């Protein structure tokens, strides 16, 4: 595993590659711990993979892998951009992962391209084992419109939603509609939605007027084409395999100044399991119908695997802030966990408005380290031997610095 990961971390990105480094430990930027700022700024992001580059690189991956990497259109964004998945491997264990559900959180896209390249082209024994035991399904740029605008939300007006769903005529906008200013971006002329609040555990749910505008403690509605596309991927995998995906990982970014509790060191990545309070799974409570399939323990085991993969490689990881009362069923990871999939959140430090592309290569390698350890632990079954209760013993995120941006 260490030899494989060292090789993988040394594979340059397919687009705008930084120099490859195959060292056993990460090259920590000299200014990694310099004073940081959460103030939104206009920062360079040209080294990240944009929409046009992604289309080219996915097509290239399909060619050079000789079909091992299968690329498929899964839908279109609200502005007509193709949303694509890339699948590699034929194993029984299904590992679904998404990036850029928020368009200003971009490191995961580059990490996924690098992993797809490795698994699609390597003839190493480890790569062959992973392909034989795991099916990796990656959606590397789910919110393509938001990614091109370099902002959190998609590009969709409430009038467009009402046109698609006439039953919502006369209803006020859903609570996750953004039509003001957020994170330094102005949505007043191009409003949109936080796509990661638009999911519902009832996967065939159709928007009902009485459920709008809703709240953060209630499920979403599948109003956005991006959420609809990911829901359809999930349903297709369930229909094809006769069961839901084993794993879902959602790759995000958080605040620029978040530190590890107890050490005061700036983080690389924090991990989390679904924020769904235990009390609501008791008889008569709102999640009681899902109590038999909810994957709290499986999700914690997977999150610990990701944490171990990063810390073993020298990266600074932590638990993401997760109060016992935190309740966000409209997130993709929560809705999928209520259907029986183990789900994990990655929160890389710094979004484009606070760090731009600063430390891009370092953070990309941290995400790769976490995902590859998860893939290997899922492949071998080692993840099932992790004590889920040990999640709470992992270093936390310093509460005074935490920024809830997932």
């Amino acid at each position: 595993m260490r030899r494989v990961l060292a090789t993988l971390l040394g594979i340059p990105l397919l687009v705008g590659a930084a120099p490859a480094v195959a060292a056993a430990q990460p090259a920590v930027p000299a200014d990694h711990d310099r004073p940081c700022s959460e103030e939104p700024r206009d920062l360079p992001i040209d080294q990240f993979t944009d929409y046009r580059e992604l289309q080219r690189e996915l097509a290239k991956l399909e060619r050079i892998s000789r079909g091992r990497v299968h690329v498929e259109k899964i839908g279109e964004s609200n502005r007509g951009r193709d949303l694509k998945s890339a699948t590699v491997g034929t194993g029984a264990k299904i590992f679904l992962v998404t990036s850029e559900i928020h368009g200003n959180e971009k490191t995961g896209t580059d990490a996924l391209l690098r992993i797809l390249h490795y698994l699609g082209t390597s003839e190493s024994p480890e790569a062959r084992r992973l392909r034989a035991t795991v099916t990796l399904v990656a959606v590397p740029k789910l919110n393509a419109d938001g990614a091109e605008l370099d902002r959190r939300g998609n590009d969709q007006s409430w009038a467009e939603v009402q046109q698609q769903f006439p039953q919502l005529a006369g209803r006020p906008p859903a609570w996750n509609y953004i039509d003001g200013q957020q994170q330094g971006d102005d949505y007043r002329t191009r409003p949109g939605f936080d796509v990661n609040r638009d999911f519902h555990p009832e996967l065939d749910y159709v928007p009902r007027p009485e459920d709008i505008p809703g709240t953060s403690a209630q499920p979403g509605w599948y109003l956005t084409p991006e959420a609809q596309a990911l829901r359809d991927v999930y349903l297709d995998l369930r229909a094809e395999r006769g069961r839901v995906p084993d794993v879902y990982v959602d790759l995000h970014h958080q605040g620029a100044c978040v530190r590890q509790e107890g050490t005061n060191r700036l983080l690389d990545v924090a991990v989390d399991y679904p924020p769904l309070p235990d009390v609501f799974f008791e008889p008569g409570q709102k999640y009681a119908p899902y109590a038999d399939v909810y994957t709290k323990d499986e999700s914690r085991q997977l999150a610990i695997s990701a944490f171990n993969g990063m810390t073993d490689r020298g990266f600074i990881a932590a638990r993401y802030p997760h109060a016992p009362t935190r309740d966000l069923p409209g997130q993709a990871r929560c809705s999928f966990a209520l259907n029986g999939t183990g789900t994990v959140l990655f929160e890389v430090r710094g979004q484009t408005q606070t760090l731009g592309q600063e430390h891009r290569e370092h953070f990309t390698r941290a995400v790769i380290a976490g995902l590859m350890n998860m893939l290997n632990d899922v492949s071998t079954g080692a993840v099932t031997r992790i004590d889920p209760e040990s999640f709470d013993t992992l270093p936390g995120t310093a509460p005074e610095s935490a920024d809830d941006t997932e």
Side-chain angles (χ1 to χ4, degrees):
M1 171 60 184
R2 286 186 175 274
R3 184 171 60 255
V4 171
L5 194 50
T7 301
L8 179 55
L9 293 177
I11 296 174
L13 291 173
L14 301 177
V15 178
V21 178
Q25 299 297 328
V28 179
D31 59 351
H32 189 65
D33 284 321
R34 70 179 174 82
C36 61
S37 173
E38 300 288 1
E39 185 69 25
R41 293 164 290 164
D42 191 12
L43 297 167
I45 61 166
D46 58 283
Q47 289 185 20
F48 289 115
T49 303
D50 66 19
Y51 172 78
R52 183 180 61 179
E53 292 168 328
L54 179 65
Q55 309 313 303
R56 183 174 67 244
E57 296 308 323
L58 289 176
K60 184 189 296 183
L61 276 172
E62 199 165 30
R63 289 196 307 273
I64 66 176
S65 69
R66 299 181 181 178
R68 278 181 180 160
V69 176
H70 172 65
V71 179
E72 182 178 2
K73 179 178 175 178
I74 61 171
E76 292 184 0
S77 71
N78 191 55
R79 296 292 168 237
R81 293 183 173 93
D82 287 349
L83 306 177
K84 292 184 177 178
S85 67
T87 301
V88 61
T90 58
K93 298 171 182 177
I94 307 169
F95 194 111
L96 175 63
V97 57
T98 56
S99 179
E100 287 192 86
I101 196 170
H102 293 148
N104 58 347
E105 302 175 4
K106 298 179 178 294
T107 302
T109 298
D110 290 340
L112 289 178
L113 284 175
R114 199 176 297 190
I115 291 172
L116 289 165
H117 181 278
Y118 172 74
L119 292 179
T121 62
S122 176
E123 295 297 340
S124 71
E126 291 87 349
R128 290 199 300 268
R129 172 177 53 78
L130 287 173
R131 290 194 297 265
T133 55
V134 177
T135 299
L136 172 65
V137 182
V139 182
K141 196 182 286 283
L142 181 61
N143 182 3
D145 294 343
E148 287 300 283
L149 293 170
D150 186 29
R151 70 183 197 184
R152 180 182 183 89
N154 74 345
D155 188 359
Q156 184 178 10
S157 70
W158 184 243
E160 289 173 309
V161 169
Q162 292 175 313
Q163 185 176 11
Q164 181 182 0
F165 300 105
Q167 69 270 31
L168 301 183
R171 297 301 300 164
W175 74 270
N176 63 329
Y177 186 56
I178 311 169
D179 58 359
Q181 292 180 303
Q182 185 179 107
Q183 297 179 334
D185 294 312
D186 190 344
Y187 289 77
R188 289 175 293 185
T189 58
R190 300 183 73 164
F193 291 83
D194 185 336
V195 177
N196 198 36
R197 301 296 187 273
D198 193 31
F199 291 79
H200 199 294
E202 296 176 17
L203 300 173
D204 58 354
Y205 173 87
V206 176
R208 297 189 294 257
E210 61 269 27
D211 294 340
I212 303 293
T215 70
S216 62
Q218 295 172 312
W221 318 266
Y222 296 118
L223 300 174
T224 64
E226 297 83 8
Q228 294 166 22
L230 181 56
R231 182 265 315 270
D232 291 347
V233 169
Y234 190 89
L235 286 172
D236 288 346
L237 288 168
R238 186 181 71 175
E240 177 186 336
R241 301 298 181 99
R243 56 186 176 82
V244 299
D246 300 271
V247 179
Y248 171 64
V249 182
D250 199 8
L251 303 175
H252 283 258
H253 284 237
Q254 58 178 325
C257 304
V258 182
R259 297 178 181 271
Q260 187 185 63
E261 191 174 37
T263 69
N264 205 37
R265 295 186 300 172
L266 287 170
L267 281 182
D268 292 320
V269 185
V271 294
D272 192 24
Y273 65 94
L276 299 166
D278 291 343
V279 65
F280 292 138
F281 289 89
E282 295 175 0
Q285 297 296 315
K286 64 178 179 177
Y287 300 137
Y290 305 99
D292 291 340
V293 296
Y294 172 49
T295 53
K296 177 180 177 179
D297 283 350
E298 293 87 342
S299 297
R300 291 191 294 177
Q301 289 171 318
L302 290 162
I304 295 165
S305 173
F307 175 92
N308 290 342
M310 289 183 280
T311 55
D312 286 351
R313 297 289 304 172
F315 296 101
I316 303 171
R319 289 179 287 113
Y320 189 69
H322 183 152
T325 57
R326 197 159 183 251
D327 188 17
L328 295 170
Q331 291 186 344
R333 63 183 178 124
C334 293
S335 288
F336 294 161
L338 291 172
N339 277 275
T341 295
T343 72
V344 177
L345 170 76
F346 277 42
E347 287 279 1
V348 177
R349 183 173 65 83
Q351 297 167 306
T352 57
Q353 76 274 8
T354 53
L355 280 188
Q357 62 202 27
E358 194 173 0
H359 310 323
R360 162 182 165 268
E361 176 66 13
H362 179 82
F363 292 144
T364 298
R365 291 177 180 222
V367 172
I368 290 171
L371 287 175
M372 285 299 298
N373 204 64
M374 292 177 72
L375 283 165
N376 274 280
D377 282 352
V378 169
S379 169
T380 63
V383 68
T384 64
R385 297 189 290 274
I386 295 173
D387 176 12
E389 299 297 332
S390 66
F391 181 83
D392 291 333
T393 69
L394 302 179
T397 299
E400 66 273 12
S401 303
D403 181 16
D404 181 13
T405 54
E406 61 172 310

